[in-house]
Amino acid sequence: KKKFYDEAIEMFSILLKKSPNDAEILQKCGYCHQCKNEYDSALDFYLRADIIRPDNLWTLQRIGVCYRSLKNPEKALEYYRHAEMLASDDLVISLNIGYCLLELKQYNDALQNFFKIEYLSSDSQKVWRPIAWCSFLVGKLSQAEKYFSKIQESERSAQDWLNMGHIALCNGNRKAALNFYHKSFICMNSNEADFFAAFSEDIPILIEKGIDEQLIVLIIDCIYYNKC
């Protein structure tokens, strides 16, 4: 509870020597490593706990988290699907399934999953962003624009403004795109490296959607020199 994870791991390791098949201790060891971002070690403990005490929702979800953190959404999806079978009405599990599908580039399936959450959830705002982004990726620009516009301006992140810029650019509205990109840049404290890193991740998507590479270069220059 005081976040002394190294000390906790040391104590739990002593307990494990006495009770090597105690699933709860294995879970806690895994959690300590997860809190230290040591996902490989955390996963090892969680998988051992899962063997001893299968079908435990807490463990299954933590395994999913670790696999996602280790950039293995396919394995994460496998465990989240298992968790979903045990708790079909758990929208947090459904949300994570949607993100796994998104990371696996199964955009239509991800979109369908997020719409289901929006329909069932009393707090549908949490899926507006992924619905908007998935809509953009499958070419439903009006729908993407609609869902990003639902997010209040005061709550929009640098990534939100960036994504809105992409939508406007693909819609042929360069002036609006520049405005959104500039707001994203300002949200990043006008840090050129951060903005370029975030923008660069999406360049292949923009090119795939027909945006000329030279135009992309001009837009980035325009943002940096505040000419928009």
Side-chain angles (χ1 to χ4, degrees):
K1 289 181 179 179
K2 294 184 180 293
K3 301 183 180 180
F4 298 149
Y5 300 119
D6 288 326
E7 292 81 357
I9 289 170
E10 185 178 348
M11 295 299 103
F12 285 131
S13 297
I14 294 171
L15 292 173
L16 271 181
K17 288 179 181 179
K18 298 179 179 180
S19 305
N21 294 322
D22 190 314
E24 186 176 351
I25 297 174
L26 289 166
Q27 287 175 325
K28 290 178 178 177
C29 280
Y31 185 72
C32 288
H33 283 290
Q34 182 185 335
C35 290
K36 294 181 64 185
N37 299 324
E38 296 172 354
Y39 297 109
D40 281 310
S41 297
L43 186 58
D44 179 63
F45 283 107
Y46 288 146
L47 290 172
R48 287 165 61 189
D50 184 52
I51 292 171
I52 295 165
R53 187 189 293 171
D55 296 338
N56 182 276
L57 267 178
W58 190 92
T59 305
L60 291 171
Q61 291 183 82
R62 295 309 180 284
I63 291 173
V65 169
C66 288
Y67 274 126
R68 278 195 69 202
S69 299
L70 292 168
K71 309 300 182 186
N72 191 341
E74 188 171 7
K75 287 296 291 184
L77 181 60
E78 177 185 329
Y79 280 88
Y80 282 127
R81 288 293 193 197
H82 188 173
E84 185 183 41
M85 291 174 62
L86 301 172
S88 59
D89 59 344
D90 190 317
L91 296 182
V92 173
I93 295 173
S94 295
L95 187 65
N96 280 302
I97 286 172
Y99 282 123
C100 287
L101 292 168
L102 180 57
E103 289 162 12
L104 288 166
K105 299 184 179 180
Q106 298 176 23
Y107 303 132
N108 283 303
D109 290 340
L111 188 57
Q112 183 178 355
N113 195 80
F114 290 133
F115 274 131
K116 181 189 79 171
I117 296 169
E118 183 191 32
Y119 178 75
L120 296 174
S121 176
S122 58
D123 181 20
S124 60
Q125 295 185 35
K126 60 188 173 186
V127 291
W128 288 348
R129 285 182 176 88
I131 286 175
W133 183 240
C134 282
S135 297
F136 170 69
L137 291 171
V138 299
K140 297 180 179 180
L141 300 183
S142 296
Q143 183 169 280
E145 194 172 34
K146 170 188 170 184
Y147 274 89
F148 272 124
S149 67
K150 284 174 173 279
I151 304 168
Q152 292 184 10
E153 282 202 28
S154 59
E155 296 180 2
R156 288 177 190 165
S157 65
Q159 189 65 50
D160 291 332
W161 290 117
L162 185 67
N163 293 341
M164 291 174 73
H166 295 338
I167 295 166
L169 188 62
C170 290
N171 268 327
N173 193 339
R174 296 182 186 179
K175 184 175 181 180
L178 285 169
N179 181 44
F180 292 142
Y181 288 142
H182 183 67
K183 288 183 178 180
S184 176
F185 184 57
I186 296 301
C187 280
M188 295 183 192
N189 298 315
S190 301
N191 186 303
E192 294 182 11
D194 288 348
F195 181 80
F196 182 71
F199 197 107
S200 294
E201 282 188 25
D202 297 334
I203 287 177
I205 297 172
L206 293 174
I207 292 173
E208 182 183 313
K209 293 191 176 298
I211 304 301
D212 185 76
E213 290 185 58
Q214 188 60 38
L215 175 59
I216 293 171
V217 173
L218 290 172
I219 285 172
I220 293 173
D221 285 344
C222 184
I223 299 300
Y224 286 173
Y225 294 106
N226 196 23
K227 295 177 181 177
C228 52

